[in-house]
Amino acid sequence: MEVILKDSIVRLIQGDITKIEVDAIVNAANTSLLGGGGVDGAIHKAGGKVILEECMKIRNQQGGCAVGGAVITSGGNLKCRYVIHTVGPVWNGGNYDEEEKLRKCYKNSLLLAESKGVTSIAIPNISTGIYKYPKNLACRIAIDEVANYLLKDGTIINELVFVCFDEENVEIYKNELKKF
Ligand code: ADP
């Protein structure tokens, strides 16, 4: 499925984010930046040790990454030039600024990507795995932040791919993207 948002194309794809051909992919990392399960594990496994080494350098310089923040490494063995590591919030019932933090993940990832000249980017369903953010709420936030970003004046990001791994997220994203 595809929708056009001003000068950008937004695609919905089901699959493994490590296989997508774009300038940058976003990783749902954790504050340690040392790798973990889920999409983080898949990216480090496919990208090789260079990514982890760069993450460790960043960790030594700035002590990891805050929730809602984003840092950038090369793509290692992946096809992409960059991996943007962002840290989603753990769902804790909704009264712990989870929404604001998740919004920041999308915004900060896009800002960082753009600052490096990225024109195409793939993003997973941040926080909806191990961190248990309700998928429908997370989807609305993701699409809202992305739409706000792409509809602003003069972005260089002309292709954005939402990569859903599980069927449930695919259906939720389809329903939300239909509205555009
Ligand atoms: P978080 O800790 O932020 O919840 P997870 O990696 O556990 O991160 O899950 C985030 C989302 O990534 C989930 O929807 C999960 O299904 C999905 N996911 C897991 N592996 C991959 C992959 N290889 N490519 C794309 N998405 C993936």
Side-chain angles (χ1 to χ4, degrees):
M1 179 179 182
E2 294 175 356
V3 296
I4 304 290
L5 290 179
K6 207 168 172 228
D7 300 325
S8 313
I9 185 158
V10 175
R11 295 184 210 282
L12 173 62
I13 288 180
Q14 182 172 19
D16 179 352
I17 201 165
T18 64
K19 304 280 194 315
I20 311 287
E21 292 195 30
V22 281
D23 286 347
I25 66 172
V26 174
N27 180 18
N30 56 56
T31 54
S32 79
L33 296 175
L34 295 180
V39 69
D40 197 10
I43 288 171
H44 281 285
K45 190 169 175 211
K49 70 174 195 311
V50 172
I51 298 177
L52 186 60
E53 283 165 5
E54 289 180 43
C55 281
M56 282 164 116
K57 251 188 220 160
I58 295 167
R59 192 181 142 86
N60 290 336
Q61 284 161 2
Q62 65 173 59
C65 181
V67 177
V71 300
I72 193 163
T73 66
S74 71
N77 300 330
L78 296 167
K79 286 178 185 151
C80 55
R81 277 196 291 146
Y82 299 110
V83 176
I84 292 169
H85 307 261
T86 187
V87 183
V90 175
W91 178 256
N92 225 320
N95 292 321
Y96 291 84
D97 292 332
E98 292 98 326
E99 173 166 347
E100 198 47 39
K101 288 170 181 162
L102 188 59
R103 285 186 180 279
K104 280 191 180 156
C105 288
Y106 287 92
K107 180 104 187 264
N108 286 328
S109 295
L110 292 169
L111 284 168
L112 185 52
E114 187 149 0
S115 76
K116 296 288 179 180
V118 165
T119 61
S120 58
I121 186 165
I123 315 183
N125 309 139
I126 300 162
S127 281
T128 68
I130 299 159
Y131 285 179
K132 295 206 160 41
Y133 207 108
K135 290 176 182 173
N136 56 342
L137 301 182
C139 171
R140 272 185 232 146
I141 290 164
I143 292 176
D144 191 52
E145 279 302 312
V146 159
N148 285 341
Y149 196 91
L150 297 180
L151 294 174
K152 80 176 176 142
D153 286 336
T155 177
I156 60 165
I157 297 173
N158 55 35
E159 183 187 4
L160 186 141
V161 187
F162 283 120
V163 183
C164 298
F165 198 63
D166 54 277
E167 194 65 45
E168 198 187 344
N169 264 318
V170 175
E171 291 311 314
I172 292 168
Y173 269 77
K174 264 188 200 158
N175 274 321
E176 286 298 318
L177 285 172
K178 258 193 231 156
K179 298 172 186 168
F180 286 91

